[in-house]
Amino acid sequence: PILILPENYQRIMGKDAQRLNIMAARLVADTVKSTLGPKGRDKMLVDTLGDVTITNDGVTILNEMELDHPAAKMMVEIAKTQEDEVGDGTTTAVVLAGKLLENAEKLLDEKIHPSVIARGYRKAAEEAYRILDQISIEIDLNQKDLLKQIAMTAMTGKGAEASKEKLAELIVEAVAGVAVKQANKWKVDTTNIKLEKKKGRSVGETELIKGIVIDKERVHPDMPEQVKDAKIALLDCAIEIKSPETDTKININNPDQLQAFLEQEEKILRDMVEKIKQSGANVVLCQKGIDDIAQYYLAKAGIFAARRIKREDMEKLAKATGARIISNINELSSNVLGKAAEVKEIKEGEESLIYVTGCENPKALTLLIRGGTEHVIDEVERAIKDGIGDIAAALEEGKVVCGGGACEIELARKLREYATQQKGREQLAINAFADAIESIPRILAENAGLDPIDIITELTVRHENNELSAGLNLEAEEEVIQDTLKAGIIEPTKIKEQAIKSAVEVAEMILRIDDVIAAGKSESSSTGQGMPPSEY
Ligand code: ADP
Ligand code: MG
């Protein structure tokens, strides 16, 4: 035999390659399937260090799983794209891709060529966007109630469940606070909303603050607790004397020399503080350390200072107050300082928070998320992120659709009608696509312990009778089939569009592969588990 590949390469060709890839992708979809919807279960993930995450969030689960198979990794990519583009709908996108591939496999069994399937899927997707557009409802910023319902739909069944009404109100207020109208369209820069987590108290006491809140305290008790009309210096250099890079020896032969040396050090620090004072700053927020002596002089000068602030927070502060982050104290002058009406330290039990309010940029907001334990806060944060992403997407597109499977039932129905007008083999692919879309309400029902066949049949009948918003309200005690619009189960159209788009893309990509050529794992990566190579 002729060997064209090195020995440790693995090659899988043709049908085998295709089937194995499909199987891997389906396994990923099956893993997250049980978390879909308000009655979806949570997963407990334990990482190599033993840290525990409890979540219902598709992208978080897949990220933590550190999957190894290339096709599985492609599925994780869709979840990430969905998260980046919309911020919600990750499970839907992955489940949809899994179903598209599962159904494609059946067509492959019937000897339909993958490129025909891919073409059919693409056509179906185009048609799906048109249908979605038709069945969408327009929405604007003044429809606060509708917006609140979108946020609540996003948070249903997540860790935030108990306080979701209050949280939804805060989220709507936050998004409305940062939304700007550009060329007749809303633009929402969600990075203007800072999420700060604080353990203690309850989720219901989460609050929205107009300004930036950081989880730090001032470095010296003699500093003022509160500074009005704050002029803020943001430093990413330490207010310390640099320790020598290499071993340096200083010869000191008598006490006078030692005294002179210490005085010299103190003078350098005093000069640094003097420069800060000269610039007119009355607040110093430093990314690095502040020496004890410098702290003393800063306090003496009545300057409020905090240290070791996260880079992320520094950037948020810069954006909010208009300050420039300075990396050399000599560059400090009045025109690099930021402004805020007030900087204040507020004690909370043992710890403190610094509130920077009345910022130059009124768009800067902080959602201070509270909760009893870290696990709770983290899951609430993820739910809040979904809510923010959904409202932003709804506003930016100005369009929403009914959730609870209502829009999927309608899509599937209309797509099957569309299929009848297409050529034979493509028709099969379009129907397979419609089935995949229908799997969303099917899984929602299954996860709630309902009979999916009964539910889908009933929903389809209702839709044929022109009840276009008939869907599932899984929060209802009985009569789960409801008018979802009335029940307030509403989602941005963009989630659905993006989910279809990424699912079709990945399905098509996986279908087109007929040869997998894999290099053998190199030594260094196979010792793995993220441990540094041991020398002992
Ligand atoms: P994803 O990661 O895809 O957002 P979720 O677990 O958040 O997954 O579930 C979203 C699905 O749950 C959507 O199809 C949405 O319409 C549905 N859903 C939300 N609230 C309800 C409800 N009260 N009853 C039924 N379905 C709901
Ligand atoms: Mg969701």
Side-chain angles (χ1 to χ4, degrees):
I2 307 170
L3 291 177
I4 56 167
L5 288 171
E7 227 172 296
N8 60 345
Y9 270 61
Q10 253 203 6
R11 183 164 187 185
I12 307 167
M13 282 187 286
K15 270 217 178 84
D16 287 345
Q18 209 161 42
R19 297 302 159 114
L20 286 173
N21 281 333
I22 292 178
M23 200 191 297
R26 282 181 55 189
L27 279 173
V28 175
D30 278 346
T31 312
V32 293
K33 194 172 105 176
S34 69
T35 69
L36 185 76
K39 299 288 165 185
R41 299 304 140 84
D42 295 350
K43 297 217 180 263
M44 181 187 253
L45 304 155
V46 186
D47 69 11
T48 45
L49 297 173
D51 283 341
V52 174
T53 308
I54 297 168
T55 186
N56 181 292
D57 189 47
V59 73
T60 309
I61 297 168
L62 296 176
N63 263 337
E64 294 275 326
M65 282 187 4
E66 295 182 21
L67 295 168
D68 203 29
H69 192 278
K73 280 188 180 158
M74 286 166 75
M75 296 289 276
V76 180
E77 285 305 310
I78 345 178
K80 284 192 190 150
T81 316
Q82 182 77 19
E83 175 88 353
D84 293 344
E85 294 285 324
V86 208
D88 191 17
T90 51
T91 317
T92 306
V94 172
V95 166
L96 202 54
K99 279 288 164 191
L100 284 174
L101 285 165
E102 183 181 333
N103 296 350
E105 207 170 15
K106 290 179 203 148
L107 296 178
L108 290 172
D109 288 342
E110 292 172 33
K111 303 259 172 336
I112 295 176
H113 197 271
S115 68
V116 176
I117 303 174
R119 193 164 56 219
Y121 277 4
R122 222 174 312 136
K123 269 192 161 173
E126 289 302 325
E127 184 61 19
Y129 306 142
R130 266 195 293 279
I131 301 168
L132 274 175
D133 202 51
Q134 273 170 18
I135 60 175
S136 286
I137 305 158
E138 290 193 5
I139 190 170
D140 203 0
L141 191 54
N142 52 22
Q143 288 156 291
K144 291 266 160 71
D145 285 342
L146 213 53
L147 288 170
K148 211 175 111 188
Q149 287 171 338
I150 298 170
M152 283 169 62
T153 304
M155 289 189 287
T156 305
K158 312 262 172 205
E161 184 67 44
S163 321
K164 76 175 175 186
E165 178 135 18
K166 160 94 192 282
L167 294 176
E169 247 160 53
L170 294 180
I171 293 173
V172 171
E173 206 183 315
V175 174
V178 301
V180 282
K181 203 149 205 177
Q182 278 172 3
N184 239 348
K185 278 206 148 186
W186 286 107
K187 192 94 200 72
V188 181
D189 182 359
T190 51
T191 60
N192 273 326
I193 305 171
K194 179 175 189 291
L195 300 180
E196 182 64 52
K197 298 181 275 188
K198 189 77 189 160
K199 202 165 89 185
R201 305 213 214 162
S202 70
V203 178
E205 286 173 83
T206 295
E207 49 186 321
L208 180 68
I209 294 118
K210 291 210 167 68
I212 302 284
V213 178
I214 45 178
D215 193 2
K216 286 282 166 211
E217 51 192 11
R218 64 200 203 285
V219 288
H220 199 286
D222 288 345
M223 289 176 172
E225 257 172 78
Q226 179 189 21
V227 176
K228 294 243 183 228
D229 197 9
K231 306 272 181 306
I232 305 164
L234 297 181
L235 299 177
D236 77 352
C237 55
I239 313 179
E240 287 168 343
I241 295 170
K242 270 201 207 116
S243 50
E245 303 265 318
T246 49
D247 281 340
T248 322
K249 207 154 144 198
I250 303 168
N251 282 321
I252 291 175
N253 301 317
N254 60 52
D256 286 351
Q257 272 178 335
L258 179 64
Q259 188 60 25
F261 180 73
L262 292 176
E263 270 169 23
Q264 185 59 27
E265 273 205 350
E266 190 173 326
K267 183 174 177 307
I268 295 171
L269 289 166
R270 216 168 48 217
D271 286 350
M272 283 169 132
V273 173
E274 190 55 36
K275 277 188 192 123
I276 294 170
K277 223 166 105 185
Q278 288 294 321
S279 73
N282 51 15
V283 173
V284 176
L285 301 174
C286 184
Q287 197 183 324
K288 309 249 166 74
I290 302 178
D291 187 279
D292 288 354
I293 297 172
Q295 289 177 18
Y296 165 76
Y297 282 113
L298 282 166
K300 222 171 127 187
I303 294 173
F304 181 114
R307 65 176 166 178
R308 307 221 181 278
I309 293 168
K310 278 184 285 181
R311 181 73 204 179
E312 240 184 288
D313 287 356
M314 293 291 282
E315 277 159 13
K316 289 242 152 68
L317 284 162
K319 203 168 164 195
T321 65
R324 217 169 79 208
I325 302 173
I326 294 299
S327 38
N328 183 340
I329 289 191
N330 293 324
E331 289 174 48
L332 212 53
S333 69
S334 63
N335 49 18
V336 300
L337 301 181
K339 290 198 191 83
E342 186 181 72
V343 172
K344 191 176 180 183
E345 181 182 300
I346 295 179
K347 273 239 161 308
E348 274 199 21
E350 296 286 285
E351 294 170 50
S352 300
L353 291 167
I354 296 175
Y355 285 64
V356 180
T357 50
C359 297
E360 184 138 280
N361 171 10
K363 298 267 171 237
L365 298 174
T366 303
L367 253 174
L368 186 60
I369 307 169
R370 300 182 189 276
T373 73
E374 247 154 67
H375 294 154
V376 169
I377 302 183
D378 286 348
E379 184 65 352
V380 169
E381 184 190 23
R382 283 188 283 270
I384 287 181
K385 276 190 182 156
D386 285 356
I388 292 178
D390 275 17
I391 299 192
L395 266 185
E396 287 188 342
E397 285 235 326
K399 282 185 204 136
V400 291
V401 284
C402 295
C407 87
E408 283 87 359
I409 290 282
E410 190 58 21
L411 270 174
R413 196 172 72 90
K414 290 248 170 77
L415 281 169
R416 287 189 186 114
E417 272 174 29
Y418 169 73
T420 58
Q421 304 150 20
Q422 306 301 313
K423 284 191 294 237
R425 294 189 167 228
E426 270 172 30
Q427 190 173 3
L428 294 177
I430 296 169
N431 277 329
F433 184 98
D435 292 346
I437 298 270
E438 204 177 69
S439 71
I440 299 295
R442 200 178 284 276
I443 295 168
L444 285 175
E446 245 169 49
N447 285 350
L450 301 166
D451 184 312
I453 298 176
D454 288 352
I455 296 282
I456 298 293
T457 317
E458 169 80 19
L459 281 175
T460 311
V461 170
R462 299 263 192 129
H463 278 249
E464 310 251 281
N465 289 332
N466 230 2
E467 289 178 45
L468 301 192
S469 41
L472 288 167
N473 180 3
L474 296 173
E475 291 204 288
E477 305 273 306
E478 44 203 282
E479 295 291 328
V480 287
I481 293 185
Q482 290 189 5
D483 183 327
T484 49
L485 190 57
K486 286 209 188 104
I489 304 169
I490 302 163
E491 292 174 289
T493 307
K494 194 169 164 196
I495 293 195
K496 306 292 178 186
E497 270 174 12
Q498 183 62 42
I500 292 176
K501 199 162 159 187
S502 13
V504 170
E505 256 168 38
V506 81
E508 221 182 293
M509 215 183 276
I510 290 179
L511 279 176
R512 242 191 272 136
I513 300 168
D514 78 335
D515 197 352
V516 178
I517 305 161
K521 288 253 159 84
S522 62
E523 282 303 310
S524 62
S525 70
S526 60
T527 53
Q529 295 303 319
M531 294 287 279
S534 154
E535 279 160 25
Y536 309 104

